[in-house]
């Protein structure tokens, strides 16, 4: 057999050739394969031909037409996707993203990441992802509803509580999940609560699901710092994004006594010297569905809006990239390091470019990759599935306690796995190897399928 590194390099070249023009997917695969060489060297049972080839090829890829009419009666045609990537550990599980940049490569990158993230939760969920190039921004509720109904009219054939369980992601929140669930129920004539997660708490949703990703990301950062004998309390934090993940990252930072001073959207960022006013941010983003430039206009002299600026230029000791992929590059990393950042916890999926990750690691910054740091969201989705299966609803306190326990376990697993493979403090290696081992064991046990 070739040495593991050479074998992984040639596999990578094959994958890039067979999946042209999918740069985000290539990046996600490369980041995982780069860290797997030690596990192949130490455990020859994983070096069997075909395992990584199967792991990097989705079990099923569904692409469909989504026609809908806007409020003026004009017909629009979007493209819908669901990539059912790996079901060795449980039903496919992962969100739906509605954003103009969505294409098959983006959905595959997200679905691939989701396999490892879901494995790390220790719960029984496989990996999948979906979405559409539909842009919800500026659309009325009625337009969003018609789009969701059309999307589900095709998607319903492919999902189910034991098959594939979508949830939210960028552009898909409680409103969209409601419309999607309604159409699923209408078409199938089944009250199948476990087919979607992120539902409203009055009709099958779990307490703490909206908060879970952001809360989890802060808990993960706190665990990383604790291992170094440090605390989040009293530290300033820079947060990007202003969606669900960013908002609840800010909420949790405030609760642990840290000082989140920023949030951002595609137009720029807000920096607030007094710390972000959570109620004002929620009012603008969740109630009015507005832009964050409004925040600075209404907050008073402590806040300013920097149009077109990069949020990472704001000095802080902790950074929480919580917007989207590749939003923090090598230059941003150099700026953050120069300004004394101690920890980076990825609330978004793959927000940090590979070069930036390397710079953080070389500088000794505690870096939590999204697969581990933002797994709290999908973990509480799995708890929502458990509650649905038992036809019960847990208290917010119980869910929050479970979430904290899961994040502690994920941290310990990544930390200990990195140490076991001779890469202490490298959570990227720890997360990739620990996730890989769990999925690979299940795949090998279940035969060549
Ligand atoms: N979209 C979220 C993620 O990236 C949540 C997925 C889910 O809850 O199924 O993990």
């Amino acid at each position: 057999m070739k040495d593991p590194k050479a074998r992984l390099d040639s596999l990578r070249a094959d994958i890039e050739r067979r999946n042209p023009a999918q740069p985000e997917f290539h990046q996600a695969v490369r980041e995982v394969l780069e860290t797997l060489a030690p596990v192949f060297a130490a455990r020859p049972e994983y070096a069997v031909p075909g395992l990584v080839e199967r792991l990097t090829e989705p079990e099923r890829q569904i692409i469909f037409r989504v026609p809908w009419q806007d409020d003026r009666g004009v017909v629009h045609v979007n493209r819908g996707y669901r990539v059912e990537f790996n079901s060795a550990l449980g039903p496919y599980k992962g969100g739906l993203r509605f954003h103009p940049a969505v294409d098959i490569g983006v959905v595959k990158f997200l679905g691939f990441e989701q396999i490892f993230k879901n494995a790390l939760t220790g719960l029984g969920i496989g990996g999948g992802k979906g979405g559409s190039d539909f842009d919800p921004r500026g659309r009325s509720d009625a337009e969003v509803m018609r789009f969701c109904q059309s999307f589900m009219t095709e998607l319903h054939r492919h999902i189910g509580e034991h098959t594939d369980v979508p949830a939210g992601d960028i552009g898909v929140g409680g409103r969209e999940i409601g419309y999607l669930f309604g159409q699923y129920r209408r078409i199938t004539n089944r009250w199948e609560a476990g087919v979607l997660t992120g539902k409203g708490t009055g009709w099958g949703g779990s307490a703490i699901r909206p908060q879970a990703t952001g809360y989890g990301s802060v808990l993960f950062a706190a665990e990383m710092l604790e291992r170094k004998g440090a605390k989040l309390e009293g530290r300033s934090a820079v947060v990007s994004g202003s969606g669900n993940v960013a908002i609840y990252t800010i909420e949790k930072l405030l609760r642990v006594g840290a000082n989140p001073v920023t949030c951002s959207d595609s137009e720029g960022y807000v920096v607030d010297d007094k710390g972000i006013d959570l109620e004002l941010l929620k009012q603008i983003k969740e109630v009015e569905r507005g832009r964050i430039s409004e925040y600075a206009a209404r907050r008073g002299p402590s806040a300013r809006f920097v149009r077109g600026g990069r949020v990472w230029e704001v000095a802080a000791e902790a950074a929480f990239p919580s917007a989207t992929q590749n939003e923090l590059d090598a230059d941003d990393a150099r700026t953050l390091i120069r300004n004394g950042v101690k920890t980076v916890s990825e609330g978004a999926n793959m927000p940090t470019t590979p070069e930036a990750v390397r710079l953080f690691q070389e500088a000794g910054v505690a870096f939590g990759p999204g697969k581990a740091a933002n797994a709290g969201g999908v973990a509480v989705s799995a708890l929502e599935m458990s509650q649905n299966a038992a036809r019960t609803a847990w208290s917010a306190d119980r869910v929050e306690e479970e979430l904290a326990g899961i994040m502690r376990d994920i941290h310990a697993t990544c930390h200990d796995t990195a140490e076991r493979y001779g890469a202490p403090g490298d959570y990227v290696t720890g997360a990739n190897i620990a996730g890989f081992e769990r999925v690979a064991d299940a795949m090998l046990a279940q035969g060549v399928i």
Side-chain angles (χ1 to χ4, degrees):
M1 195 190 60
K2 280 197 251 181
D3 81 279
K5 167 108 182 36
R7 184 168 125 68
L8 289 167
D9 284 348
S10 86
L11 263 170
R12 198 186 101 186
D14 269 0
I15 290 160
E16 292 183 4
R17 185 180 47 76
R18 295 183 66 228
N19 300 277
Q22 297 178 5
E24 294 87 358
F25 178 56
H26 298 171
Q27 182 183 338
V29 169
R30 198 181 325 126
E31 284 188 32
V32 170
L33 294 190
E34 265 170 14
T35 55
L36 290 185
V39 84
F40 280 85
R43 302 189 56 183
E45 69 269 28
Y46 291 140
V48 289
L51 178 66
V52 176
E53 288 84 344
R54 286 193 288 136
L55 189 59
T56 50
E57 181 72 20
E59 290 176 18
R60 194 173 297 105
Q61 304 181 52
I62 302 148
I63 303 184
F64 50 98
R65 180 173 72 198
V66 190
W68 57 282
Q69 275 181 300
D70 69 20
D71 289 342
R72 290 172 300 136
V74 177
V75 173
H76 299 258
V77 178
N78 285 102
R79 199 169 282 172
Y81 302 91
R82 188 72 184 164
V83 170
E84 298 181 334
F85 221 121
N86 191 297
S87 58
L89 293 175
Y92 310 107
K93 183 82 197 87
L96 299 170
R97 176 175 293 191
F98 292 170
H99 188 277
V102 166
D103 63 17
I104 188 66
V106 168
V107 179
K108 279 171 67 181
F109 121 62
L110 291 164
F112 185 71
E113 291 272 303
Q114 201 82 42
I115 303 170
F116 301 90
K117 182 194 314 197
N118 294 6
L120 283 173
T121 66
L123 304 166
I125 40 178
K129 203 86 185 192
S132 174
D133 57 359
F134 172 69
D135 188 354
R137 206 189 307 160
R139 292 291 171 196
S140 68
D141 285 352
E143 289 174 325
V144 170
M145 181 179 75
R146 286 195 293 277
F147 176 81
C148 288
Q149 290 174 340
S150 181
F151 186 86
M152 184 53 87
T153 301
E154 173 58 33
L155 187 70
H156 88 278
R157 309 171 206 285
H158 311 289
I159 61 176
E161 63 177 319
H162 300 297
T163 312
D164 183 357
V165 183
D169 196 84
I170 294 171
V172 178
R175 172 181 64 170
E176 290 74 17
I177 294 294
Y179 295 147
L180 291 163
F181 186 77
Q183 184 72 349
Y184 183 84
R185 183 168 63 75
R186 179 195 210 182
I187 294 174
T188 60
N189 195 30
R190 282 164 66 89
W191 215 104
E192 188 186 335
V195 68
L196 290 171
T197 61
K199 300 180 294 294
T201 44
W203 44 279
S206 176
I208 306 295
R209 176 63 192 86
Q211 293 86 344
T213 311
Y215 281 17
S217 163
V218 174
L219 290 167
F220 197 88
E223 288 284 326
M224 291 193 293
L225 286 178
E226 203 179 302
R227 293 284 171 143
K228 299 180 136 202
K231 273 185 169 3
L232 261 180
E233 201 185 323
R235 291 188 190 268
S236 55
V238 55
V239 179
S240 65
S242 50
N244 162 274
V245 179
I247 288 173
Y248 292 101
T249 295
I250 291 170
E251 181 166 292
K252 187 71 177 174
L253 284 166
L254 291 167
R255 283 204 195 170
V256 302
N259 185 28
V261 290
T262 65
C263 59
S264 69
D265 63 18
S266 57
E267 292 172 355
Y269 71 83
V270 159
V271 57
D272 188 333
D273 300 332
K274 283 205 204 145
I276 295 289
D277 176 337
L278 187 65
E279 289 320 308
L280 179 59
L281 179 63
K282 282 187 179 174
Q283 171 66 26
I284 290 167
K285 290 300 300 186
E286 292 183 337
V287 181
E288 300 169 20
R289 295 182 186 276
R291 312 293 296 166
I292 55 148
S293 48
E294 260 299 295
Y295 175 99
R298 275 153 61 179
R299 170 70 164 155
S302 70
R304 59 183 196 284
F305 178 64
V306 183
R307 190 170 296 277
R310 293 183 78 76
V311 70
W312 313 118
E313 65 203 26
V314 176
E317 298 159 285
F320 294 85
S322 310
T324 195
Q325 64 267 16
N326 294 326
E327 56 163 313
L328 195 170
D329 66 19
D331 284 340
D332 301 322
R334 284 187 198 99
T335 308
L336 282 163
I337 293 165
R338 203 176 329 109
N339 287 334
V341 76
K342 302 280 179 299
T343 185
V344 178
S345 186
E346 290 190 322
N349 291 312
M350 210 168 73
T352 314
T353 65
E355 205 190 338
V357 174
R358 248 184 313 277
L359 290 169
F360 286 133
Q361 291 181 327
E362 281 164 16
V365 174
F367 178 82
K371 285 183 199 80
N374 74 36
V378 78
V380 172
S381 276
L383 302 182
E384 183 168 325
M385 291 162 71
S386 303
Q387 293 168 73
N388 293 156
R391 295 188 179 277
T392 189
W394 301 346
S395 69
D397 283 350
R398 173 165 176 196
V399 179
E400 208 171 333
E401 224 167 90
E402 297 263 356
L403 170 64
I406 291 168
M407 294 314 298
R408 261 197 306 277
D409 288 349
I410 295 174
H411 174 271
T413 302
C414 298
H415 181 272
D416 297 352
T417 305
E419 231 155 55
R420 187 150 50 87
Y421 283 96
D426 177 351
Y427 290 93
V428 176
T429 295
N432 288 343
I433 294 184
F436 171 80
E437 285 181 330
R438 186 157 183 248
V439 181
D441 287 344
M443 287 177 73
L444 291 174
Q446 293 171 30
V448 178
I449 53 164

